[in-house]
């Protein structure tokens, strides 16, 4: 077929291409409309600088203008904040229309193209907030340089802010070889369930941290969390400086929430998640719950609960960064929901979560870990018995791809069972066999984890609460599993021999003895009832079937005098 010809009577439309671009747009390789200032710089808060004339002219040898010059000048125009973003929306005479605003700042001298190697600080807020309104108003007024996201006049400013700097560095606490040793243990034992760091990126960046002096408190906090967890799971001996590293990491993380300028990045969220896991392994419930709450609050502060595709980012965003953002967000959410339900506290609820859920990845088990942690409902489900039963069915059917997940699933089911009992209800009889199977799988997992020396946080609590649930069910099948649970708790106590394990074992024995004494009292009551009747009056049940005769063969007149039953004899004639 011959090619289609254009109608000569209509002018041919060609794509209009702008003949010039400002320095920031040229540097970031984004479209520039050529206005002064251009729409991109107005929307993103850049300083719009043109280094070329409006019309291209032959360059003379005396005054060459190159792309490198424009990039250099654009960098000079804004030396600190080299990249920023705002929420998706349109800029018009009526103002900014987006539902939220975000600003991203890249610290100078950052290296690499992947998120872990870049010093990126992010601020996220709703468009109606006092933080965003000046910028939004400035955009609507057409200001060439609208105000940045800033809490203008937040307080009178009568007191100087207390700026705190780290007193030491992790490089001064341990050397690079020791750090790599415990990092390897972390990626071997913890990372498969909470894959929020890329091993290769971490190795590259941490090596630069020691050898090239490329520092950053957010990444250093991640290093402290990785080393602390690797030391905790070490089978050959923990790091002698573990406590010092944990405390140093806490001080670094406090800089993101307690001291100005509180510049936050995704690595701060990762650091708080790692700290929440470590605290769940080592200390009291309130402290680990607070750390999980902080991690969730920081996810909102930098907009991890939104998809990055909703935000116009003036840099290249890789699929790996998108995946790490989602992983970090959902792990933080899942830990907070689980800790809150387990501890009986309120979970952190965020508005407008649009972050896409994780997909199953064959390289790790994070997808399954999050599914189990999030299977525990919020306190708002306490008033709905059918909903709790459906949630229990869902939790009991979750797959367990490892012994830790088998034990973790049992903890989730125990939490749902306790919520059921707190409403005055009982688990339906048809669901009890499935729950007992969950307990059996968890006890087998506990045995395996003891053999491999993996001291996860539920090594003691899972068999202890198994005993509590089995006693609460009180059926012959559940009571028959009490010896298995007691044996698992006894062997775990013998392995670790800590105050907490001995305390749990002693409490479990007390509960079992109480259940036995209760049954004994019930049996005694039955014996006392039987003792009130002489043996000669007890019915002897024969092995033969009783032959119940019909009504006509009962011979009622033989033992009942029905004469004049209706009083009719007096009325009949004699």
């Amino acid at each position: 077929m011959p090619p289609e010809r254009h109608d000569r009577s209509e002018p041919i439309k060609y794509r209009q291409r702008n003949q010039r671009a400002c320095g920031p747009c040229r540097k970031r390789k984004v479209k520039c409309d050529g206005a002064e200032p251009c729409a991109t710089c107005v929307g993103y808060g850049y300083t719009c600088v043109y280094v070329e004339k409006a019309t291209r002219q032959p360059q003379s040898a005396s005054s060459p203008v190159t792309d490198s010059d424009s990039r250099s000048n654009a960098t000079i125009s804004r030396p600190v904040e080299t990249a920023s973003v705002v929420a998706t929306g349109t800029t018009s005479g009526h103002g900014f229309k987006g539902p939220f605003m975000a600003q991203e700042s890249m610290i100078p001298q950052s290296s690499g193209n992947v998120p872990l190697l870049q010093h990126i600080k992010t601020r996220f807020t709703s468009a109606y907030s006092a933080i965003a309104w000046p910028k939004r108003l400035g955009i609507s007024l057409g200001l060439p340089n609208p105000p940045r996201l800033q809490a203008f006049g937040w307080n009178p400013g009568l007191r100087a802010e207390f700026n705190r700097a780290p007193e030491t560095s992790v490089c001064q606490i341990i050397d690079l070889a020791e750090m790599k040793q415990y990092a390897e243990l972390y990626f071997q034992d913890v990372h498969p369930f909470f894959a929020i760091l890329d091993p290769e990126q971490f190795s590259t960046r941490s090596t630069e941290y020691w050898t090239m002096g490329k520092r950053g408190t957010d990444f250093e906090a991640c290093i402290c969390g990785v080393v602390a967890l690797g030391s905790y799971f070490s089978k050959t001996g923990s790091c002698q400086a573990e406590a010092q590293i944990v405390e140093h990491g806490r001080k670094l993380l406090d800089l993101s929430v307690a001291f100005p300028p509180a510049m936050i990045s995704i690595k701060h969220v990762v650091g708080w998640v790692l700290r929440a896991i470590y605290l769940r392994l080592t200390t009291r419930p309130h402290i680990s719950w607070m750390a999980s709450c902080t991690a969730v609050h920081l996810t909102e502060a930098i907009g991890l609960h939104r998809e990055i595709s909703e935000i116009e980012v003036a840099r290249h965003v890789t699929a790996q960064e998108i995946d790490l953002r989602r992983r970090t967000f959902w792990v933080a959410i899942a830990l907070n929901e689980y800790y809150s339900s387990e501890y009986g506290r309120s979970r952190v609820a965020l508005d407008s979560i649009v972050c896409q859920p994780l997909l199953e990845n064959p390289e790790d088990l994070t997808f399954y870990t999050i599914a189990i942690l999030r299977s525990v409902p919020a306190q708002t489900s306490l008033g709905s018995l059918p909903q709790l039963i459906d949630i229990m069915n869902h939790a009991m059917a979750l797959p367990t791809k490892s012994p830790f997940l088998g034990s973790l699933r049992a903890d989730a089911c125990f939490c749902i069972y306790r919520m059921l009992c707190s409403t005055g209800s009982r688990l339906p009889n048809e669901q009890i066999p499935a729950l007992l199977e969950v307990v059996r799988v968890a006890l087998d997992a506990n045995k395996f984890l003891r053999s491999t020396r993996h001291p996860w946080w539920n090594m003691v609590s899972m068999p202890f609460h198994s005993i509590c649930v089995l006693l609460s069910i009180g059926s012959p099948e559940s009571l028959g599993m009490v010896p298995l649970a007691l044996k698992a708790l006894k062997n775990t106590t013998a392995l670790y021999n800590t105050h907490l394990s001995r305390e749990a074992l002693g409490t479990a024995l007390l509960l079992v003895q109480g259940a036995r004494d209760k049954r004994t009292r019930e049996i005694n009551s039955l014996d006392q009832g039987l003792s009130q009747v002489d043996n000669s009056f007890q019915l002897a049940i024969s092995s033969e079937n009783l032959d119940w005769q019909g009504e006509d063969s009962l011979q009622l007149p033989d033992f009942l005098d029905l004469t004049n039953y209706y009083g009719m004899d007096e009325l009949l004639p004699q």
Side-chain angles (χ1 to χ4, degrees), residues 548-559:
W548 295 98
Q549 298 178 353
E551 179 181 301
D552 296 338
S553 63
L554 291 178
Q555 301 177 353
L556 295 179
D558 294 342
F559 58 90

Side-chain angles (χ1 to χ4, degrees), residues 501-521:
S501 61
R502 293 191 298 269
E503 182 184 50
L505 178 59
T507 305
L509 291 175
L510 181 66
L511 293 173
V512 173
Q513 291 171 357
R516 183 196 61 184
D517 295 342
K518 181 175 180 293
R519 294 293 176 117
T520 301
R521 290 192 298 270

Side-chain angles (χ1 to χ4, degrees), residues 367-475:
F367 171 83
Y368 300 100
T369 305
I370 292 176
I372 293 175
L373 293 176
R374 302 202 69 208
S375 65
V376 181
Q379 296 181 9
T380 54
S381 301
L382 288 176
S384 176
L385 179 60
Q387 182 180 4
L388 284 176
I389 294 176
D390 291 341
I391 293 173
M392 174 66 87
N393 286 329
H394 170 72
M396 292 188 299
L398 289 173
T400 55
K401 300 289 186 177
S402 75
F404 171 61
L405 294 183
S407 182
L408 192 64
R409 182 184 64 176
D411 283 339
C413 292
F414 295 162
C415 186
I416 302 171
Y417 179 83
R418 292 192 296 266
M419 297 177 75
L420 269 170
C421 294
S422 67
T423 63
S425 306
R426 303 289 295 180
L427 187 68
N429 292 333
E430 58 269 18
Q431 285 186 309
I432 290 178
L435 181 58
L436 296 182
E437 177 63 17
V438 168
V439 175
R440 186 195 63 78
V441 172
L443 293 176
D444 290 341
N446 181 268
K447 180 179 180 180
F448 179 85
L449 292 173
R450 287 198 311 269
S451 65
T452 57
R453 301 297 194 273
H454 283 87
W456 281 104
W457 63 66
N458 53 5
M459 283 297 294
V460 176
S461 64
M462 190 280 299
F464 172 79
H465 287 288
S466 295
I467 296 171
C468 295
V469 170
L470 294 173
L471 294 177
S472 175
I473 294 175
S475 66

Side-chain angles (χ1 to χ4, degrees), residues 282-298:
T282 58
T283 189
R284 301 167 188 260
H286 172 76
I287 303 176
S288 56
W289 173 72
M290 286 295 296
S292 71
C293 292
T294 304
V296 175
H297 285 304
L298 290 182

Side-chain angles (χ1 to χ4, degrees), residues 181 193 228 252 255 265 268 298-299 301 315 463:
Q181 172 189 347
F193 306 103
L252 294 175
L255 297 177
S265 73
H268 284 112
L298 290 182
T299 63
R315 58 181 176 83

